[in-house]
Amino acid sequence: MELCSRTLTTLLHLTSPSSSSNSLLRSTTCNYATPSKSTNYFNLSSSQSHYHNHNHHVLHRFQQQQPYLFHHHQSSFSSFVVSASSSSSSVAASSTEELDRLPAELKVSETQEPNSRVRLQVEVPPVVCEDCYKRVIIEFTKQAKVPGFRPGKPVPESILLGYVGRENVQKATIESILRRTLPHAMTSVTGKALPDSVRIVTKFSDLEKIYSSQGSLRYDVLADIVPELKWFPDNAYKNLKIVVEIDSDIDAQKASEQEFKRRYKSIGALKVVADRGLQVGDVVVIDISATTIDQDESKIKNIPSAESKGFNFDTEDGDRILPGFLDSIIGIRPGETKSFPLVFPETWNQENLRGVHAQFTVECKELFYRDLPELDDSIADKLIPGCTTVQQVKDLLLQRCQEVEQSAREQATDNAILDQISKMVEVDIPQSLFEEQGRQLYGASLLEIQAKMNLNDQQLASLSSSKAVNEYLEHQKDNIRNLIKQNLAVGDIYRRENLQFSTEDLVKEVENSISEFKRQNQEYDEERVKDQVQEILEGAKVLEWLREHAEIQYVTR
């Protein structure tokens, strides 16, 4: 029912302080999601998408798919391919590993492409290809069980080729060439290439044609590199001027008074009104319908979001609904219907209703008044267990609301700072980083949905499909890019200002995070947890530094 212009403030529950603080904070401040491993500075929980949900691994399938370095269909020779490549350097070998010595130098041309991507055009001379071929033959000789020859003993090359198949040997040779030469070709981007972004883009069939016709090989490699961050102007983050908007609903005094009133009303009894119409303070059950107003009757339309059946309306919340609605139904009696026009204000949350002239029809179904007990110290324990006076109740509620207000102010301040610094930087975001960030956000959202709705495997599979993920990436692309910029900027500030956190804090937070994973029976990678905790602590240090050095103005809305 779209009568409320904003979500009602989540009610405090003093018996569960942490829960109430978070609930109110969510209803009064902007939430921001955060990236994962590579750029996660602000969020770590057992529900993050890097880790397997113990009930539904399908949630993570789309995140665990690794990019193929090259694509082709292997046939029955696949077992020999592994053997032929076993003595070669891995395609994904790290820069710290010793490179396999080649008999000749490669020719590598580097071209910069958009989105912090580099294209490497690699030319492998015939002498290197021949050396790889000889290694493959040796491996096949060791592994193949050729009739008439003892395993591991020399087999004439022509017989071996006839047994294994010349085409299979050629495929194995090409793979060996790629595995041995790719680490050499990547030396120009050592330390800059992003993990899992390196891939050979030349088709395997084209590689076969080049090798079979020329005895050499040429292939192209694409790799995303660490993006360069530029501040405009340089060191702009050192002179931040921030205006933070604070929702009036989080004002501690106002919120505590509202909560006290809610608790007081909750211990009263609702009794049926029999001899009068609706008054302020009553609770009424009504059916509401609404249509647009137009001189041309053919253009009149229903307004579904403003309609409701059996709507329980507390008239003391009249200031939270459409202006004029409460005044228009004052005096209505059970069984009575009233019809009246209203205009949705230009500040209405639902944009398509702003300025709309609507005709409302309201039918009163039931009408109640509250029979409240005397407001004295005798009811204090009913308002908050353990309290002996009404003043004690009010003091405790005010204390809790002050804590919530402070948390909300800090959260809003951090949001405003992050938003500001993201506008001060330019960065060419790599596609692989964008996709990783987006998949992390989507995975976290999916886990939240699963926790709330208990989706079945078929529903999870549908939501985890490539189509669903890609649609999310497209729809959320601006938000994802903004989050990446925020986190890259935070990381840059941490390095520029030589900020540090204590080892004790790191150890403590890692232990807490691992305990939470164990408590929820979820799998985790301890090194991954440590990396993420470190990034969170770095981000906290940066935000603390920025708050201390920024000029901050608070405005209540």
Side-chain angles (χ1 to χ4, degrees):
M1 147 91 184
E2 186 60 42
L3 283 179
C4 297
S5 61
R6 60 180 180 274
T7 304
L8 297 181
T9 302
T10 305
L11 300 177
L12 293 171
H13 298 285
L14 200 61
T15 54
S16 179
S18 60
S19 173
S20 34
S21 173
N22 291 336
S23 296
L24 184 57
L25 184 62
R26 283 195 295 271
S27 69
T28 57
T29 65
C30 296
N31 292 320
Y32 59 94
T34 58
S36 62
K37 201 280 175 188
S38 58
T39 54
N40 178 11
Y41 284 100
F42 310 108
N43 186 28
L44 177 66
S45 68
S46 58
S47 65
Q48 275 193 298
S49 53
H50 274 303
Y51 304 101
H52 298 281
N53 181 287
H54 66 283
N55 291 324
H56 296 286
H57 63 84
V58 68
L59 292 177
H60 305 280
R61 290 185 309 185
F62 61 89
Q63 292 178 300
Q64 297 171 341
Q65 295 171 350
Q66 299 296 326
Y68 293 105
L69 289 172
F70 48 84
H71 300 266
H72 66 280
H73 297 288
Q74 295 181 341
S75 55
S76 59
F77 75 95
S78 58
S79 60
F80 294 111
V81 171
V82 175
S83 299
S85 307
S86 61
S87 62
S88 304
S89 299
S90 169
V91 176
S94 92
S95 59
T96 59
E97 295 176 353
E98 184 178 353
L99 296 178
D100 187 3
R101 186 181 299 276
L102 300 178
E105 293 292 327
L106 306 178
K107 182 179 179 181
V108 182
S109 301
E110 182 177 317
T111 305
Q112 298 292 329
E113 296 195 353
N115 303 117
S116 297
R117 176 169 290 177
V118 170
R119 178 180 292 270
L120 303 175
Q121 296 172 303
V122 185
E123 295 185 22
V124 185
V127 64
V128 175
C129 295
E130 179 63 23
D131 187 62
C132 291
Y133 173 78
K134 290 178 180 178
R135 292 193 180 197
V136 169
I137 290 297
I138 292 173
E139 290 297 327
F140 274 131
T141 300
K142 293 178 180 179
Q143 299 295 329
K145 297 180 180 180
V146 182
F149 295 88
R150 292 181 180 180
K153 295 298 181 180
V155 179
E157 186 173 321
S158 58
I159 295 177
L160 184 64
L161 291 175
Y163 178 74
V164 176
R166 189 176 301 273
E167 181 180 348
N168 289 338
V169 172
Q170 177 176 283
K171 291 180 183 293
T173 301
I174 292 173
E175 289 210 11
S176 178
I177 294 170
L178 295 174
R179 291 185 181 276
R180 288 187 67 191
T181 61
L182 183 58
H184 290 269
M186 294 294 298
T187 54
S188 64
V189 292
T190 297
K192 296 190 296 182
L194 296 178
D196 300 327
S197 73
V198 180
R199 60 191 183 281
I200 295 171
V201 294
T202 306
K203 293 181 180 179
F204 198 83
S205 57
D206 292 339
L207 296 176
E208 290 181 293
K209 292 177 183 177
I210 297 171
Y211 177 72
S212 61
S213 63
Q214 301 177 16
S216 61
L217 205 63
R218 296 190 308 274
Y219 61 91
D220 285 5
V221 180
L222 287 179
D224 290 342
I225 61 175
V226 176
E228 179 183 359
L229 192 76
K230 295 181 180 179
W231 291 91
F232 292 96
D234 192 33
N235 294 328
Y237 64 88
K238 292 186 175 182
N239 301 298
L240 292 182
K241 294 183 178 180
I242 305 293
V243 176
V244 182
E245 292 189 348
I246 302 296
D247 197 314
S248 60
D249 282 349
I250 70 168
D251 176 81
Q253 188 64 48
K254 179 179 177 181
S256 65
E257 291 173 357
Q258 290 176 342
E259 177 61 12
F260 179 84
K261 189 174 183 180
R262 183 195 69 81
R263 288 173 180 252
Y264 177 50
K265 289 194 298 184
S266 70
I267 63 176
L270 286 179
K271 295 188 176 181
V272 176
V273 175
D275 56 352
R276 62 171 175 81
L278 177 68
Q279 297 177 353
V280 174
D282 292 340
V283 175
V284 63
V285 180
I286 51 179
D287 289 346
I288 306 170
S289 61
T291 63
T292 58
I293 296 176
D294 200 299
Q295 292 183 349
D296 185 348
E297 293 186 1
S298 63
K299 294 182 179 180
I300 295 177
K301 298 179 180 179
N302 291 334
I303 307 177
S305 60
E307 298 182 345
S308 181
K309 293 287 186 181
F311 178 56
N312 286 272
F313 175 38
D314 186 341
T315 54
E316 291 189 353
D317 292 330
D319 60 335
R320 297 178 178 273
I321 64 173
L322 184 64
F325 183 85
L326 174 58
D327 291 340
S328 299
I329 63 171
I330 287 294
I332 196 171
R333 292 171 176 265
E336 186 179 350
T337 299
K338 286 192 174 185
S339 184
F340 48 89
L342 291 176
V343 180
F344 287 90
E346 294 296 337
T347 56
W348 198 252
N349 280 0
Q350 194 171 337
E351 293 184 13
N352 66 320
L353 290 181
R354 291 175 183 173
V356 171
H357 291 250
Q359 185 70 28
F360 282 86
T361 300
V362 176
E363 180 183 357
C364 180
K365 311 297 287 187
E366 296 178 272
L367 182 59
F368 304 92
Y369 72 94
R370 282 193 175 88
D371 186 13
L372 297 172
E374 193 71 27
L375 185 55
D376 55 31
D377 292 342
S378 64
I379 65 169
D381 186 65
K382 295 180 180 179
L383 297 174
I384 295 180
C387 288
T388 56
T389 68
V390 170
Q391 188 58 48
Q392 186 181 6
V393 171
K394 292 181 177 180
D395 290 343
L396 284 174
L397 289 176
L398 179 59
Q399 179 183 350
R400 171 56 55 199
C401 289
Q402 286 172 338
E403 294 172 0
V404 172
E405 179 182 6
Q406 181 60 30
S407 296
R409 288 172 70 89
E410 292 174 358
Q411 178 82 40
T413 302
D414 289 347
N415 288 344
I417 289 174
L418 291 170
D419 182 63
Q420 181 105 346
I421 62 175
S422 69
K423 297 174 182 177
M424 293 178 167
V425 296
E426 283 190 4
V427 60
D428 200 12
I429 298 174
Q431 183 63 21
S432 61
L433 184 57
F434 170 82
E435 291 181 357
E436 179 194 7
Q437 169 71 87
R439 291 175 190 276
Q440 295 302 325
L441 293 176
Y442 186 72
S445 298
L446 204 53
L447 284 171
E448 289 181 10
I449 294 173
Q450 165 62 5
K452 293 176 181 178
M453 302 180 61
N454 194 25
L455 303 175
N456 59 40
D457 287 346
Q458 184 177 358
Q459 291 171 317
L460 286 171
S462 175
L463 290 172
S464 303
S465 67
S466 296
K467 179 182 179 182
V469 177
N470 290 333
E471 287 177 351
Y472 176 85
L473 294 179
E474 176 62 26
H475 186 260
Q476 293 291 327
K477 62 183 179 182
D478 291 339
N479 182 44
I480 295 170
R481 291 183 182 279
N482 191 51
L483 291 171
I484 292 173
K485 288 172 66 178
Q486 288 178 3
N487 286 277
L488 289 175
V490 166
D492 190 55
I493 295 171
Y494 186 85
R495 290 184 292 272
R496 286 182 177 224
E497 299 302 323
N498 297 314
L499 302 177
Q500 294 181 339
F501 55 83
S502 68
T503 303
E504 291 78 8
D505 286 344
L506 177 62
V507 172
K508 179 181 177 181
E509 291 301 327
V510 169
E511 290 176 350
N512 290 341
S513 297
I514 290 177
S515 296
E516 182 65 16
F517 280 111
K518 290 180 178 179
R519 189 180 68 82
Q520 297 194 19
N521 295 320
Q522 290 190 324
E523 297 178 12
Y524 63 91
D525 182 313
E526 188 166 345
E527 283 303 312
R528 172 71 83 180
V529 172
K530 183 178 179 181
D531 287 344
Q532 291 196 335
V533 168
Q534 182 170 324
E535 290 166 351
I536 293 168
L537 293 175
E538 289 178 3
K541 281 293 181 183
V542 170
L543 286 171
E544 180 183 348
W545 187 92
L546 290 172
R547 284 195 298 268
E548 291 175 354
H549 292 79
E551 182 182 320
I552 303 174
Q553 177 185 358
Y554 292 95
V555 177
T556 303
R557 61 186 177 189

